Amino acid sequence: FEGVKLNRSGQLCLVQITLSDMPSCVYMLDVYVLPLAMHFATPSGTSLKAILEDPALLKIWFDPRNDVDALYHQFGIVSQHVFDLQLADVAVRRAKGLQVNFVPSLQKCLTSCDRLGRMQKTFADFINKTGKQLFEPDHGGRYEVFQQRPLLPDLLVYAAHDCRYMQLLYQWYCENLSDEWNQRVLAGSRSRAQWFAHRKYQRPSTDAP
């Protein structure tokens, strides 16, 4: 999910999705141009809203707090059955007896994953820096670039890459988590998936829970 300083008041512009049966394929949904696309349904009733709210379908996410805040307050969507990769990384390290004070970035998780090769990690670092130069003010960018049409090619690649390895990370973390730690991650993920319920917007902390 990408947008203009994304939260309940920061516009959601792009939705990126990968499916478990084809994890190397990333689908991009432009909800800035087509906001009703979140609610479009097939003849059988399947829609993105229905998928996100289905308690039987696991949604793999990386820190969903701002995303679910935007989804609820802008589209009326309550995401359910979420697995947060950021919390999984904290759990894996704590299970090894390490002290973890802060949550990691997605880039840090990719760098530490032994399932990715050197070239994959090098490209991940490159596209991460390229994207931030386009939209992060601290790096010379501007958030409003997500509203520019046509979208910049580098921004599309950045957005797609953001979820390109989520299923790989999920499998890797699950292999390194006991059932007890896995349940802790799911419990923490449920709490984060309710981030929208704060009466006033709460900026997510970088402190590890």
Side-chain angles (χ1 to χ4, degrees):
F1 293 78
E2 307 290 352
V4 182
K5 203 171 183 181
L6 190 59
N7 55 54
R8 64 184 63 183
S9 59
Q11 187 165 23
L12 176 61
C13 298
L14 296 176
V15 175
Q16 313 99 294
I17 302 170
T18 59
L19 304 178
S20 58
D21 61 348
M22 194 181 296
S24 62
C25 180
V26 179
Y27 296 90
M28 305 282 289
L29 185 63
D30 188 345
V31 295
Y32 176 65
V33 174
L34 297 170
L36 293 179
M38 293 292 250
H39 301 274
F40 287 161
T42 66
S44 64
T46 300
S47 66
L48 185 55
K49 180 181 188 296
I51 291 171
L52 289 170
E53 294 186 337
D54 190 337
L57 291 176
L58 181 66
K59 272 72 71 174
I60 302 168
W61 227 297
F62 190 91
D63 188 4
R65 291 175 289 181
N66 279 329
D67 299 345
V68 298
D69 197 61
L71 284 169
Y72 177 77
H73 290 281
Q74 296 178 34
F75 296 93
I77 294 174
V78 179
S79 302
Q80 297 190 59
H81 199 16
V82 170
F83 185 96
D84 186 353
L85 296 173
Q86 189 179 63
L87 293 182
D89 185 87
V90 172
V92 165
R93 287 186 285 155
R94 283 185 175 161
K96 294 178 180 178
L98 300 175
Q99 181 176 345
V100 184
N101 297 320
F102 302 100
V103 292
S105 65
L106 176 58
Q107 179 59 29
K108 185 173 182 180
C109 292
L110 292 174
T111 300
S112 62
C113 179
D114 60 17
R115 296 288 178 84
L116 270 68
R118 182 176 60 86
M119 292 300 294
Q120 290 171 307
K121 292 179 180 180
T122 298
F123 181 76
D125 182 63
F126 167 76
I127 199 60
N128 180 60
K129 291 177 180 177
T130 300
K132 287 183 176 180
Q133 289 171 358
L134 292 172
F135 71 84
E136 283 199 358
D138 290 344
H139 292 81
R142 49 194 296 272
Y143 291 116
E144 290 75 16
V145 73
F146 283 112
Q147 296 173 316
Q148 179 181 323
R149 296 296 180 275
L151 282 161
L152 298 174
D154 285 348
L155 198 64
L156 274 172
V157 175
Y158 168 85
H161 195 273
D162 225 23
C163 69
R164 170 67 177 80
Y165 294 114
M166 283 197 176
Q167 293 193 54
L168 182 147
L169 286 174
Y170 171 71
Q171 294 169 359
W172 187 60
Y173 287 135
C174 285
E175 290 173 6
N176 287 277
L177 286 172
S178 65
D179 289 341
E180 179 185 356
W181 277 105
N182 190 285
Q183 290 304 311
R184 289 187 184 185
V185 171
L186 286 171
S189 300
R190 283 194 296 272
S191 177
R192 284 186 162 195
Q194 293 291 312
W195 199 256
F196 66 88
H198 293 291
R199 188 172 65 86
K200 294 183 178 180
Y201 171 68
Q202 300 290 319
R203 183 178 180 180
S205 171
T206 59
D207 293 336

